[in-house]
């Protein structure tokens, strides 16, 4: 059965863009109208993040979010077979020439991103990275073997080194000790697992955060950069490389909190493409109030 579904995904990915986007529009309309996928979570998150907006304004963001989410699904499906030539027309890179200086200085890079835009398109940044870096991305292995096999094909097509979350620290230290420089992507806006030990205010809310990227960066003497993603239209986006502005009022993890503030500015600029279905603040607010 898994093989059949995988082959079906491959066949669907060969359909033209116009057909896939037509299906995406229909899917988004159904999900939003019937409120059948975490609609309550989306509206609760939007209410927490944007209390100054009216209910009507938040519903408008939610409607755009579901369209973006449906587009991301079909775009990820299309990545199974789309040509690099076609894909290059959909992504634009700004500021990536900064990496040449880091390469000359033999310095590794921690690259912060968020669940913003279609993050499955983010591995195309390998086209903007100078030769000499080991390109790596950290991921959380899926329990679903079918979903894992499809995403594995998508993530492997650009030649990045895929590091499971549980072994990434050791792998990057090994590269560092071998004298290699790496550029590693960290999608670091999700809710941490286990006990929440690090807190800040994000969207003016007590928010727990993970600091693994900064911990690793310290050990390998890395520079910290943020990828500011900006959707340019359906299926197109610009990725601008920016140095992380450290949060001077956060002595423990200034780079991580600085990244979160830069991501917040990105989301406020255009809220719809962020992953609002994630239970980001669920069960945290009362606990976090004791820390921040």
């Amino acid at each position: 059965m898994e093989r059949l579904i995988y082959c079906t995904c491959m066949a669907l990915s060969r359909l033209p863009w116009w057909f896939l986007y037509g299906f995406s529009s229909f899917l988004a309309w159904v999900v939003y109208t019937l409120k059948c996928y975490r609609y309550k979570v989306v509206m609760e998150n939007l209410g927490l993040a944007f209390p100054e907006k009216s209910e009507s304004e938040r519903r408008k963001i939610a409607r755009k979010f579901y369209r973006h989410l449906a587009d991301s699904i079909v775009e990820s499906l299309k990545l199974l077979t789309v040509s690099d030539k076609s894909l290059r027309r959909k992504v634009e890179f700004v500021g990536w020439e900064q990496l040449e200086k880091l390469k000359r200085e033999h310095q590794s890079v921690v690259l912060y991103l968020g669940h913003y835009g279609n993050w499955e398109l983010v591995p195309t940044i390998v086209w903007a990275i100078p030769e000499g870096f080991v390109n790596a991305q950290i991921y959380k292995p899926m329990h679903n073997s079918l979903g894992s096999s499809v995403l594995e094909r998508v993530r492997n097509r650009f030649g990045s080194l895929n590091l499971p979350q549980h072994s990434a620290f050791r792998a990057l230290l090994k590269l560092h000790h071998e004298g290699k420089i790496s550029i590693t992507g960290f999608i670091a806006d999700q809710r941490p697992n286990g006990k929440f030990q690090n807190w800040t205010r994000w969207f003016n809310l007590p928010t727990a955060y993970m600091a693994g990227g900064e911990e690793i960066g310290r050990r390998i003497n890395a520079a910290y950069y943020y990828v500011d993603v900006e959707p340019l239209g359906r299926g197109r986006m610009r990725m601008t490389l920016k140095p992380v502005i450290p949060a001077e009022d956060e002595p423990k993890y200034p780079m991580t909190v600085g990244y979160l503030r830069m991501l917040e500015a990105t989301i406020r600029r255009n809220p719809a493409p962020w992953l609002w279905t994630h239970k980001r603040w669920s069960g945290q607010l009362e606990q976090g109030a004791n820390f921040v």
Side-chain angles (χ1 to χ4, degrees):
M1 177 58 105
E2 286 187 7
R3 179 66 179 172
L4 175 61
I5 297 176
Y6 179 80
C7 291
T8 301
C9 289
M10 290 292 292
L12 290 174
S13 74
R14 297 184 184 278
L15 293 170
W17 283 109
W18 64 264
F19 182 90
L20 291 173
Y21 280 133
F23 173 74
S24 171
S25 295
F26 173 73
L27 178 63
W29 178 82
V30 170
V31 173
Y32 176 76
T33 302
L34 299 182
K35 301 177 175 55
C36 54
Y37 179 63
R38 294 196 174 185
Y39 180 82
K40 183 179 179 180
V41 173
V42 171
M43 294 306 297
E44 285 179 351
N45 281 338
L46 288 172
L48 290 169
F50 301 109
E52 75 282 2
K53 294 185 182 294
S54 67
E55 183 74 12
S56 176
E57 289 174 312
R58 293 195 288 266
R59 284 198 299 268
K60 185 177 180 180
I61 294 172
R63 184 167 58 250
K64 290 181 178 179
F65 161 73
Y66 280 109
R67 177 170 178 172
H68 161 73
L69 183 63
D71 279 356
S72 295
I73 291 171
V74 300
E75 287 164 3
S76 298
L77 187 65
K78 188 68 173 176
L79 282 176
L80 290 168
T81 57
V82 68
S83 68
D84 285 0
K85 181 179 179 180
S86 175
L87 200 53
R88 283 179 185 272
R89 293 195 292 265
K90 292 184 171 292
V91 292
E92 178 183 334
F93 305 101
V94 176
W96 292 79
E97 67 280 355
Q98 299 172 79
L99 297 179
E100 290 288 355
K101 180 176 181 292
L102 298 174
K103 176 185 172 182
R104 291 193 299 270
E105 296 173 351
H106 204 72
Q107 187 172 18
S108 292
V109 178
V110 166
L111 201 63
Y112 282 120
L113 307 108
H115 284 91
Y116 189 89
N118 186 349
W119 51 92
E120 297 299 343
L121 287 174
V122 166
T124 61
I125 62 176
V126 299
W127 296 333
I129 296 173
E131 290 186 11
F133 284 97
V134 176
N135 306 312
Q137 56 183 345
I138 296 176
Y139 72 98
K140 184 177 181 179
M142 297 179 64
H143 298 297
N144 181 290
S145 59
L146 173 61
S148 180
S149 63
V150 172
L151 286 178
E152 183 178 352
R153 180 181 175 93
V154 168
R155 292 169 179 169
N156 285 338
R157 67 165 292 178
F158 299 105
S160 293
L161 178 64
N162 293 296
L163 303 176
Q165 193 176 57
H166 65 273
S167 62
F169 188 76
R170 293 191 301 272
L172 291 172
L173 279 180
K174 184 173 183 292
L175 289 173
H176 180 66
H177 292 150
E178 292 173 349
K180 299 176 181 177
I181 54 173
S182 60
I183 180 164
T184 308
F186 290 82
I187 297 181
D189 57 344
Q190 61 266 53
R191 174 177 169 174
N193 295 322
K195 294 182 179 179
F196 305 139
Q197 297 178 348
N198 304 304
W199 295 86
T200 188
R201 294 198 73 82
W202 197 54
F203 282 93
N204 203 33
L205 297 166
T207 304
Y209 65 89
M210 298 182 297
E214 191 163 354
E215 290 281 8
I216 292 174
R218 290 172 179 174
R219 296 288 296 274
I220 62 176
N221 191 32
Y224 299 86
Y225 280 79
Y226 169 61
V227 182
D228 187 5
V229 175
E230 184 179 359
L232 300 176
R234 205 166 198 184
R236 296 175 55 244
M237 67 181 187
R238 176 186 297 126
M239 290 185 278
T240 302
L241 187 66
K242 299 181 177 180
V244 170
I245 302 170
E248 296 181 358
D249 57 334
E250 294 282 347
K252 189 175 183 180
Y253 293 112
M255 293 299 181
T256 307
V257 175
Y259 142 73
L260 286 170
R261 292 175 182 175
M262 294 174 78
L263 176 60
E264 179 178 340
T266 296
I267 296 170
R268 287 188 180 278
R269 183 179 66 207
N270 182 3
W274 193 60
L275 189 61
W276 294 102
T277 49
H278 183 54
K279 296 181 180 180
R280 187 61 181 88
W281 293 285
S282 177
Q284 291 189 25
L285 299 183
E286 184 175 345
Q287 183 181 1
N290 298 321
F291 291 86
V292 297

